[in-house]
mmCIF file of all heavy atoms in Angstrom:
data_model
loop_
_atom_site.group_PDB
_atom_site.id
_atom_site.type_symbol
_atom_site.label_atom_id
_atom_site.label_comp_id
_atom_site.label_asym_id
_atom_site.label_seq_id
_atom_site.Cartn_x
_atom_site.Cartn_y
_atom_site.Cartn_z
ATOM 1 N N LYS H 901 87.574 168.869 47.958
ATOM 2 C CA LYS H 901 88.298 168.034 48.927
ATOM 3 C C LYS H 901 87.813 168.315 50.350
ATOM 4 O O LYS H 901 87.554 167.389 51.124
ATOM 5 C CB LYS H 901 89.801 168.284 48.816
ATOM 6 C CG LYS H 901 90.623 167.417 49.706
ATOM 7 C CD LYS H 901 92.107 167.677 49.508
ATOM 8 C CE LYS H 901 92.924 166.816 50.461
ATOM 9 N NZ LYS H 901 94.345 167.055 50.347
ATOM 10 N N LEU H 902 87.668 169.586 50.678
ATOM 11 C CA LEU H 902 87.182 169.974 52.003
ATOM 12 C C LEU H 902 85.759 169.475 52.236
ATOM 13 O O LEU H 902 85.444 168.945 53.308
ATOM 14 C CB LEU H 902 87.253 171.491 52.173
ATOM 15 C CG LEU H 902 86.801 172.034 53.523
ATOM 16 C CD1 LEU H 902 87.684 171.506 54.645
ATOM 17 C CD2 LEU H 902 86.817 173.552 53.509
ATOM 18 N N LEU H 903 84.890 169.613 51.234
ATOM 19 C CA LEU H 903 83.510 169.151 51.356
ATOM 20 C C LEU H 903 83.464 167.641 51.572
ATOM 21 O O LEU H 903 82.696 167.147 52.398
ATOM 22 C CB LEU H 903 82.692 169.546 50.124
ATOM 23 C CG LEU H 903 81.228 169.091 50.126
ATOM 24 C CD1 LEU H 903 80.465 169.693 51.312
ATOM 25 C CD2 LEU H 903 80.558 169.464 48.812
ATOM 26 N N MET H 904 84.280 166.914 50.832
ATOM 27 C CA MET H 904 84.318 165.459 50.998
ATOM 28 C C MET H 904 84.728 165.081 52.420
ATOM 29 O O MET H 904 84.113 164.208 53.043
ATOM 30 C CB MET H 904 85.275 164.838 49.985
ATOM 31 C CG MET H 904 84.771 164.883 48.558
ATOM 32 S SD MET H 904 85.988 164.307 47.356
ATOM 33 C CE MET H 904 86.194 162.601 47.848
ATOM 34 N N GLU H 905 85.739 165.744 52.938
ATOM 35 C CA GLU H 905 86.207 165.458 54.298
ATOM 36 C C GLU H 905 85.150 165.829 55.335
ATOM 37 O O GLU H 905 84.873 165.054 56.258
ATOM 38 C CB GLU H 905 87.507 166.213 54.576
ATOM 39 C CG GLU H 905 88.688 165.694 53.793
ATOM 40 C CD GLU H 905 89.918 166.599 53.882
ATOM 41 O OE1 GLU H 905 89.900 167.581 54.670
ATOM 42 O OE2 GLU H 905 90.886 166.334 53.153
ATOM 43 N N GLU H 906 84.560 167.006 55.161
ATOM 44 C CA GLU H 906 83.529 167.459 56.106
ATOM 45 C C GLU H 906 82.289 166.568 56.043
ATOM 46 O O GLU H 906 81.661 166.285 57.062
ATOM 47 C CB GLU H 906 83.145 168.913 55.838
ATOM 48 C CG GLU H 906 84.193 169.914 56.248
ATOM 49 C CD GLU H 906 84.431 169.940 57.751
ATOM 50 O OE1 GLU H 906 83.467 169.882 58.533
ATOM 51 O OE2 GLU H 906 85.613 169.999 58.139
ATOM 52 N N GLY H 907 81.934 166.135 54.836
ATOM 53 C CA GLY H 907 80.786 165.245 54.678
ATOM 54 C C GLY H 907 80.997 163.927 55.390
ATOM 55 O O GLY H 907 80.096 163.421 56.079
ATOM 56 N N ARG H 908 82.190 163.376 55.256
ATOM 57 C CA ARG H 908 82.494 162.105 55.926
ATOM 58 C C ARG H 908 82.503 162.282 57.443
ATOM 59 O O ARG H 908 81.963 161.458 58.175
ATOM 60 C CB ARG H 908 83.825 161.553 55.428
ATOM 61 C CG ARG H 908 83.723 161.111 53.962
ATOM 62 C CD ARG H 908 84.990 160.534 53.459
ATOM 63 N NE ARG H 908 85.110 159.169 53.997
ATOM 64 C CZ ARG H 908 86.139 158.385 53.740
ATOM 65 N NH1 ARG H 908 87.120 158.793 52.988
ATOM 66 N NH2 ARG H 908 86.187 157.168 54.248
ATOM 67 N N THR H 909 83.087 163.370 57.917
ATOM 68 C CA THR H 909 83.137 163.626 59.352
ATOM 69 C C THR H 909 81.726 163.844 59.905
ATOM 70 O O THR H 909 81.373 163.308 60.962
ATOM 71 C CB THR H 909 84.020 164.858 59.654
ATOM 72 O OG1 THR H 909 85.335 164.605 59.164
ATOM 73 C CG2 THR H 909 84.074 165.149 61.138
ATOM 74 N N SER H 910 80.923 164.619 59.195
ATOM 75 C CA SER H 910 79.550 164.889 59.639
ATOM 76 C C SER H 910 78.738 163.601 59.709
ATOM 77 O O SER H 910 77.964 163.401 60.655
ATOM 78 C CB SER H 910 78.860 165.875 58.706
ATOM 79 O OG SER H 910 79.476 167.133 58.788
ATOM 80 N N ALA H 911 78.908 162.730 58.721
ATOM 81 C CA ALA H 911 78.177 161.461 58.717
ATOM 82 C C ALA H 911 78.615 160.581 59.888
ATOM 83 O O ALA H 911 77.781 159.948 60.543
ATOM 84 C CB ALA H 911 78.392 160.728 57.398
ATOM 85 N N GLU H 912 79.898 160.565 60.157
ATOM 86 C CA GLU H 912 80.406 159.759 61.276
ATOM 87 C C GLU H 912 79.918 160.278 62.613
ATOM 88 O O GLU H 912 79.634 159.499 63.522
ATOM 89 C CB GLU H 912 81.934 159.728 61.253
ATOM 90 C CG GLU H 912 82.504 158.917 60.123
ATOM 91 C CD GLU H 912 84.005 159.086 59.957
ATOM 92 O OE1 GLU H 912 84.646 159.726 60.812
ATOM 93 O OE2 GLU H 912 84.544 158.571 58.961
ATOM 94 N N ASP H 913 79.816 161.600 62.758
ATOM 95 C CA ASP H 913 79.417 162.213 64.021
ATOM 96 C C ASP H 913 77.904 162.275 64.218
ATOM 97 O O ASP H 913 77.439 162.519 65.338
ATOM 98 C CB ASP H 913 79.975 163.638 64.125
ATOM 99 C CG ASP H 913 81.495 163.660 64.201
ATOM 100 O OD1 ASP H 913 82.098 162.605 64.489
ATOM 101 O OD2 ASP H 913 82.078 164.733 63.960
ATOM 102 N N ALA H 914 77.143 162.067 63.164
ATOM 103 C CA ALA H 914 75.691 162.245 63.220
ATOM 104 C C ALA H 914 75.008 161.144 64.027
ATOM 105 O O ALA H 914 75.411 159.979 63.987
ATOM 106 C CB ALA H 914 75.112 162.266 61.818
ATOM 107 N N VAL H 915 73.976 161.546 64.727
ATOM 108 C CA VAL H 915 73.157 160.609 65.476
ATOM 109 C C VAL H 915 72.069 160.027 64.567
ATOM 110 O O VAL H 915 71.694 158.874 64.692
ATOM 111 C CB VAL H 915 72.518 161.309 66.698
ATOM 112 C CG1 VAL H 915 71.587 160.378 67.444
ATOM 113 C CG2 VAL H 915 73.595 161.848 67.611
ATOM 114 N N ASP H 916 71.593 160.851 63.646
ATOM 115 C CA ASP H 916 70.562 160.415 62.707
ATOM 116 C C ASP H 916 70.734 161.149 61.379
ATOM 117 O O ASP H 916 71.603 161.999 61.237
ATOM 118 C CB ASP H 916 69.162 160.636 63.282
ATOM 119 C CG ASP H 916 68.857 162.097 63.566
ATOM 120 O OD1 ASP H 916 69.483 162.980 62.941
ATOM 121 O OD2 ASP H 916 67.984 162.370 64.406
ATOM 122 N N LEU H 917 69.893 160.802 60.438
ATOM 123 C CA LEU H 917 69.963 161.406 59.107
ATOM 124 C C LEU H 917 69.027 162.602 58.956
ATOM 125 O O LEU H 917 69.132 163.345 57.982
ATOM 126 C CB LEU H 917 69.624 160.355 58.045
ATOM 127 C CG LEU H 917 70.526 159.130 58.019
ATOM 128 C CD1 LEU H 917 69.991 158.085 57.051
ATOM 129 C CD2 LEU H 917 71.943 159.520 57.672
ATOM 130 N N VAL H 918 68.133 162.790 59.903
ATOM 131 C CA VAL H 918 67.123 163.839 59.813
ATOM 132 C C VAL H 918 67.753 165.221 59.715
ATOM 133 O O VAL H 918 67.280 166.073 58.966
ATOM 134 C CB VAL H 918 66.130 163.753 60.994
ATOM 135 C CG1 VAL H 918 65.171 164.928 61.001
ATOM 136 C CG2 VAL H 918 65.379 162.439 60.943
ATOM 137 N N GLN H 919 68.825 165.453 60.442
ATOM 138 C CA GLN H 919 69.461 166.774 60.402
ATOM 139 C C GLN H 919 69.915 167.132 58.989
ATOM 140 O O GLN H 919 69.923 168.301 58.615
ATOM 141 C CB GLN H 919 70.628 166.829 61.382
ATOM 142 C CG GLN H 919 71.717 165.819 61.094
ATOM 143 C CD GLN H 919 72.771 165.774 62.181
ATOM 144 O OE1 GLN H 919 73.262 166.822 62.572
ATOM 145 N NE2 GLN H 919 73.105 164.586 62.649
ATOM 146 N N PHE H 920 70.275 166.149 58.192
ATOM 147 C CA PHE H 920 70.710 166.404 56.815
ATOM 148 C C PHE H 920 69.528 166.487 55.854
ATOM 149 O O PHE H 920 69.459 167.378 55.013
ATOM 150 C CB PHE H 920 71.683 165.313 56.354
ATOM 151 C CG PHE H 920 72.844 165.134 57.285
ATOM 152 C CD1 PHE H 920 73.063 163.926 57.911
ATOM 153 C CD2 PHE H 920 73.715 166.185 57.555
ATOM 154 C CE1 PHE H 920 74.136 163.751 58.788
ATOM 155 C CE2 PHE H 920 74.783 166.023 58.423
ATOM 156 C CZ PHE H 920 74.989 164.797 59.042
ATOM 157 N N THR H 921 68.587 165.559 55.990
ATOM 158 C CA THR H 921 67.437 165.568 55.080
ATOM 159 C C THR H 921 66.545 166.786 55.314
ATOM 160 O O THR H 921 65.918 167.275 54.374
ATOM 161 C CB THR H 921 66.614 164.273 55.208
ATOM 162 O OG1 THR H 921 66.181 164.113 56.556
ATOM 163 C CG2 THR H 921 67.428 163.064 54.768
ATOM 164 N N LYS H 922 66.532 167.279 56.538
ATOM 165 C CA LYS H 922 65.728 168.471 56.844
ATOM 166 C C LYS H 922 66.222 169.672 56.042
ATOM 167 O O LYS H 922 65.423 170.417 55.465
ATOM 168 C CB LYS H 922 65.790 168.770 58.349
ATOM 169 C CG LYS H 922 64.948 169.928 58.787
ATOM 170 C CD LYS H 922 65.030 170.117 60.293
ATOM 171 C CE LYS H 922 64.194 171.305 60.717
ATOM 172 N NZ LYS H 922 64.289 171.523 62.175
ATOM 173 N N ILE H 923 67.527 169.850 55.982
ATOM 174 C CA ILE H 923 68.121 170.952 55.210
ATOM 175 C C ILE H 923 67.757 170.819 53.731
ATOM 176 O O ILE H 923 67.363 171.786 53.083
ATOM 177 C CB ILE H 923 69.655 170.969 55.362
ATOM 178 C CG1 ILE H 923 70.060 171.168 56.820
ATOM 179 C CG2 ILE H 923 70.296 171.999 54.451
ATOM 180 C CD1 ILE H 923 69.707 172.489 57.406
ATOM 181 N N ILE H 924 67.888 169.618 53.213
ATOM 182 C CA ILE H 924 67.585 169.372 51.799
ATOM 183 C C ILE H 924 66.103 169.610 51.526
ATOM 184 O O ILE H 924 65.745 170.244 50.534
ATOM 185 C CB ILE H 924 68.041 167.963 51.388
ATOM 186 C CG1 ILE H 924 69.577 167.907 51.428
ATOM 187 C CG2 ILE H 924 67.510 167.590 50.006
ATOM 188 C CD1 ILE H 924 70.162 166.526 51.307
ATOM 189 N N ASN H 925 65.241 169.124 52.407
ATOM 190 C CA ASN H 925 63.799 169.324 52.220
ATOM 191 C C ASN H 925 63.417 170.801 52.239
ATOM 192 O O ASN H 925 62.509 171.219 51.530
ATOM 193 C CB ASN H 925 63.007 168.567 53.283
ATOM 194 C CG ASN H 925 62.942 167.087 53.003
ATOM 195 O OD1 ASN H 925 62.974 166.652 51.859
ATOM 196 N ND2 ASN H 925 62.872 166.307 54.061
ATOM 197 N N GLN H 926 64.107 171.590 53.041
ATOM 198 C CA GLN H 926 63.796 173.008 53.149
ATOM 199 C C GLN H 926 64.284 173.815 51.953
ATOM 200 O O GLN H 926 63.743 174.874 51.666
ATOM 201 C CB GLN H 926 64.411 173.591 54.422
ATOM 202 C CG GLN H 926 63.750 173.120 55.687
ATOM 203 C CD GLN H 926 64.488 173.582 56.941
ATOM 204 O OE1 GLN H 926 65.638 174.000 56.881
ATOM 205 N NE2 GLN H 926 63.824 173.490 58.066
ATOM 206 N N THR H 927 65.299 173.340 51.253
ATOM 207 C CA THR H 927 65.924 174.171 50.229
ATOM 208 C C THR H 927 65.922 173.592 48.818
ATOM 209 O O THR H 927 66.157 174.332 47.872
ATOM 210 C CB THR H 927 67.377 174.502 50.615
ATOM 211 O OG1 THR H 927 68.091 173.286 50.798
ATOM 212 C CG2 THR H 927 67.446 175.313 51.881
ATOM 213 N N CYS H 928 65.666 172.317 48.665
ATOM 214 C CA CYS H 928 65.793 171.687 47.346
ATOM 215 C C CYS H 928 64.452 171.364 46.712
ATOM 216 O O CYS H 928 63.487 171.038 47.403
ATOM 217 C CB CYS H 928 66.609 170.391 47.454
ATOM 218 S SG CYS H 928 68.324 170.664 47.882
ATOM 219 N N GLU H 929 64.443 171.441 45.391
ATOM 220 C CA GLU H 929 63.282 171.041 44.600
ATOM 221 C C GLU H 929 63.322 169.529 44.381
ATOM 222 O O GLU H 929 64.339 168.878 44.638
ATOM 223 C CB GLU H 929 63.308 171.755 43.243
ATOM 224 C CG GLU H 929 63.306 173.266 43.332
ATOM 225 C CD GLU H 929 62.009 173.831 43.876
ATOM 226 O OE1 GLU H 929 60.945 173.225 43.629
ATOM 227 O OE2 GLU H 929 62.065 174.868 44.559
ATOM 228 N N GLU H 930 62.232 168.980 43.851
ATOM 229 C CA GLU H 930 62.140 167.536 43.614
ATOM 230 C C GLU H 930 63.259 167.024 42.704
ATOM 231 O O GLU H 930 63.808 165.952 42.938
ATOM 232 C CB GLU H 930 60.773 167.174 43.020
ATOM 233 C CG GLU H 930 59.622 167.367 43.984
ATOM 234 C CD GLU H 930 59.766 166.542 45.267
ATOM 235 O OE1 GLU H 930 60.129 165.357 45.190
ATOM 236 O OE2 GLU H 930 59.528 167.117 46.339
ATOM 237 N N GLU H 931 63.585 167.790 41.683
ATOM 238 C CA GLU H 931 64.637 167.363 40.745
ATOM 239 C C GLU H 931 65.988 167.236 41.450
ATOM 240 O O GLU H 931 66.743 166.287 41.200
ATOM 241 C CB GLU H 931 64.740 168.350 39.581
ATOM 242 C CG GLU H 931 65.721 167.904 38.511
ATOM 243 C CD GLU H 931 65.737 168.855 37.332
ATOM 244 O OE1 GLU H 931 64.704 169.477 37.037
ATOM 245 O OE2 GLU H 931 66.807 168.966 36.713
ATOM 246 N N GLN H 932 66.290 168.164 42.336
ATOM 247 C CA GLN H 932 67.546 168.099 43.081
ATOM 248 C C GLN H 932 67.560 166.894 44.011
ATOM 249 O O GLN H 932 68.588 166.235 44.165
ATOM 250 C CB GLN H 932 67.747 169.383 43.892
ATOM 251 C CG GLN H 932 67.981 170.603 43.019
ATOM 252 C CD GLN H 932 67.880 171.882 43.826
ATOM 253 O OE1 GLN H 932 66.852 172.169 44.436
ATOM 254 N NE2 GLN H 932 68.965 172.637 43.852
ATOM 255 N N LYS H 933 66.416 166.587 44.603
ATOM 256 C CA LYS H 933 66.316 165.413 45.469
ATOM 257 C C LYS H 933 66.535 164.132 44.661
ATOM 258 O O LYS H 933 67.201 163.202 45.119
ATOM 259 C CB LYS H 933 64.962 165.361 46.167
ATOM 260 C CG LYS H 933 64.762 166.443 47.197
ATOM 261 C CD LYS H 933 63.384 166.307 47.822
ATOM 262 C CE LYS H 933 63.085 167.420 48.781
ATOM 263 N NZ LYS H 933 61.755 167.259 49.407
ATOM 264 N N ARG H 934 65.991 164.089 43.446
ATOM 265 C CA ARG H 934 66.198 162.916 42.593
ATOM 266 C C ARG H 934 67.667 162.782 42.197
ATOM 267 O O ARG H 934 68.196 161.673 42.128
ATOM 268 C CB ARG H 934 65.294 162.988 41.365
ATOM 269 C CG ARG H 934 63.838 162.678 41.683
ATOM 270 C CD ARG H 934 63.014 162.462 40.430
ATOM 271 N NE ARG H 934 62.897 163.676 39.635
ATOM 272 C CZ ARG H 934 61.876 164.517 39.684
ATOM 273 N NH1 ARG H 934 60.873 164.280 40.498
ATOM 274 N NH2 ARG H 934 61.853 165.588 38.935
ATOM 275 N N ASP H 935 68.347 163.911 41.971
ATOM 276 C CA ASP H 935 69.783 163.866 41.675
ATOM 277 C C ASP H 935 70.568 163.295 42.854
ATOM 278 O O ASP H 935 71.493 162.497 42.668
ATOM 279 C CB ASP H 935 70.318 165.264 41.339
ATOM 280 C CG ASP H 935 69.848 165.778 39.994
ATOM 281 O OD1 ASP H 935 69.378 164.959 39.164
ATOM 282 O OD2 ASP H 935 69.943 166.997 39.771
ATOM 283 N N ILE H 936 70.190 163.703 44.042
ATOM 284 C CA ILE H 936 70.843 163.171 45.238
ATOM 285 C C ILE H 936 70.593 161.670 45.339
ATOM 286 O O ILE H 936 71.514 160.889 45.604
ATOM 287 C CB ILE H 936 70.353 163.902 46.508
ATOM 288 C CG1 ILE H 936 70.837 165.354 46.492
ATOM 289 C CG2 ILE H 936 70.812 163.173 47.777
ATOM 290 C CD1 ILE H 936 70.186 166.242 47.540
ATOM 291 N N LEU H 937 69.359 161.265 45.090
ATOM 292 C CA LEU H 937 69.001 159.849 45.137
ATOM 293 C C LEU H 937 69.814 159.041 44.128
ATOM 294 O O LEU H 937 70.320 157.958 44.444
ATOM 295 C CB LEU H 937 67.502 159.692 44.890
ATOM 296 C CG LEU H 937 66.883 158.333 45.157
ATOM 297 C CD1 LEU H 937 67.101 157.901 46.596
ATOM 298 C CD2 LEU H 937 65.400 158.372 44.843
ATOM 299 N N GLU H 938 69.984 159.571 42.934
ATOM 300 C CA GLU H 938 70.807 158.882 41.934
ATOM 301 C C GLU H 938 72.263 158.795 42.394
ATOM 302 O O GLU H 938 72.933 157.790 42.152
ATOM 303 C CB GLU H 938 70.701 159.572 40.578
ATOM 304 C CG GLU H 938 69.396 159.284 39.882
ATOM 305 C CD GLU H 938 69.328 159.843 38.471
ATOM 306 O OE1 GLU H 938 70.385 160.174 37.893
ATOM 307 O OE2 GLU H 938 68.202 159.924 37.951
ATOM 308 N N GLY H 939 72.742 159.832 43.058
ATOM 309 C CA GLY H 939 74.091 159.791 43.603
ATOM 310 C C GLY H 939 74.247 158.709 44.656
ATOM 311 O O GLY H 939 75.279 158.020 44.713
ATOM 312 N N LEU H 940 73.229 158.544 45.485
ATOM 313 C CA LEU H 940 73.259 157.484 46.500
ATOM 314 C C LEU H 940 73.365 156.110 45.840
ATOM 315 O O LEU H 940 74.177 155.268 46.247
ATOM 316 C CB LEU H 940 72.003 157.560 47.376
ATOM 317 C CG LEU H 940 71.808 158.825 48.205
ATOM 318 C CD1 LEU H 940 70.413 158.852 48.828
ATOM 319 C CD2 LEU H 940 72.877 158.957 49.269
ATOM 320 N N TRP H 941 72.546 155.906 44.799
ATOM 321 C CA TRP H 941 72.594 154.628 44.086
ATOM 322 C C TRP H 941 73.932 154.434 43.373
ATOM 323 O O TRP H 941 74.475 153.329 43.357
ATOM 324 C CB TRP H 941 71.447 154.526 43.077
ATOM 325 C CG TRP H 941 70.120 154.229 43.690
ATOM 326 C CD1 TRP H 941 69.022 155.040 43.692
ATOM 327 C CD2 TRP H 941 69.734 153.054 44.408
ATOM 328 N NE1 TRP H 941 67.986 154.428 44.360
ATOM 329 C CE2 TRP H 941 68.395 153.211 44.808
ATOM 330 C CE3 TRP H 941 70.400 151.871 44.745
ATOM 331 C CZ2 TRP H 941 67.705 152.234 45.528
ATOM 332 C CZ3 TRP H 941 69.717 150.900 45.476
ATOM 333 C CH2 TRP H 941 68.390 151.088 45.857
ATOM 334 N N ALA H 942 74.459 155.497 42.788
ATOM 335 C CA ALA H 942 75.746 155.393 42.084
ATOM 336 C C ALA H 942 76.850 154.946 43.033
ATOM 337 O O ALA H 942 77.699 154.115 42.670
ATOM 338 C CB ALA H 942 76.102 156.734 41.435
ATOM 339 N N ILE H 943 76.848 155.474 44.230
ATOM 340 C CA ILE H 943 77.862 155.069 45.210
ATOM 341 C C ILE H 943 77.630 153.632 45.654
ATOM 342 O O ILE H 943 78.571 152.842 45.768
ATOM 343 C CB ILE H 943 77.871 156.038 46.408
ATOM 344 C CG1 ILE H 943 78.422 157.390 45.948
ATOM 345 C CG2 ILE H 943 78.695 155.477 47.567
ATOM 346 C CD1 ILE H 943 78.264 158.502 46.941
ATOM 347 N N ALA H 944 76.380 153.262 45.876
ATOM 348 C CA ALA H 944 76.072 151.896 46.300
ATOM 349 C C ALA H 944 76.495 150.875 45.248
ATOM 350 O O ALA H 944 76.991 149.793 45.581
ATOM 351 C CB ALA H 944 74.578 151.770 46.589
ATOM 352 N N TYR H 945 76.332 151.211 43.976
ATOM 353 C CA TYR H 945 76.695 150.298 42.887
ATOM 354 C C TYR H 945 78.151 150.427 42.446
ATOM 355 O O TYR H 945 78.624 149.645 41.623
ATOM 356 C CB TYR H 945 75.796 150.537 41.671
ATOM 357 C CG TYR H 945 74.443 149.885 41.761
ATOM 358 C CD1 TYR H 945 73.281 150.636 41.677
ATOM 359 C CD2 TYR H 945 74.317 148.510 41.897
ATOM 360 C CE1 TYR H 945 72.029 150.043 41.739
ATOM 361 C CE2 TYR H 945 73.080 147.897 41.969
ATOM 362 C CZ TYR H 945 71.938 148.667 41.883
ATOM 363 O OH TYR H 945 70.705 148.060 41.946
ATOM 364 N N ALA H 946 78.882 151.395 42.970
ATOM 365 C CA ALA H 946 80.246 151.658 42.497
ATOM 366 C C ALA H 946 81.178 150.467 42.648
ATOM 367 O O ALA H 946 82.068 150.271 41.825
ATOM 368 C CB ALA H 946 80.830 152.875 43.224
ATOM 369 N N ASP H 947 80.972 149.661 43.677
ATOM 370 C CA ASP H 947 81.848 148.499 43.881
ATOM 371 C C ASP H 947 81.273 147.227 43.258
ATOM 372 O O ASP H 947 81.710 146.116 43.546
ATOM 373 C CB ASP H 947 82.131 148.292 45.371
ATOM 374 C CG ASP H 947 80.866 148.073 46.195
ATOM 375 O OD1 ASP H 947 79.754 148.059 45.620
ATOM 376 O OD2 ASP H 947 80.993 147.931 47.425
#
């Protein structure tokens, strides 16, 4: 619940997406990035 709230607040306050993708690029493997990408599509198609 806290992560969801913080994620929404961070997205609203962000000037760009680079600050988030930079963290992911520094710490995640390709498979984790693909999981994130699938999550993005799942949310886009949810409605």
Side-chain angles (χ1 to χ4, degrees):
K901 184 178 178 182
L902 181 62
L903 179 61
M904 289 174 63
E905 291 170 7
E906 287 295 318
R908 292 182 77 180
T909 300
S910 294
E912 289 170 8
D913 294 343
V915 176
D916 62 24
L917 301 173
V918 174
Q919 60 187 311
F920 306 119
T921 58
K922 183 178 179 181
I923 299 294
I924 292 169
N925 284 330
Q926 290 173 344
T927 58
C928 293
E929 301 293 328
E930 292 301 316
E931 185 176 330
Q932 293 168 301
K933 291 180 184 181
R934 285 192 294 264
D935 289 343
I936 292 168
L937 191 58
E938 285 186 17
L940 297 170
W941 284 116
I943 290 170
Y945 279 122
D947 59 1

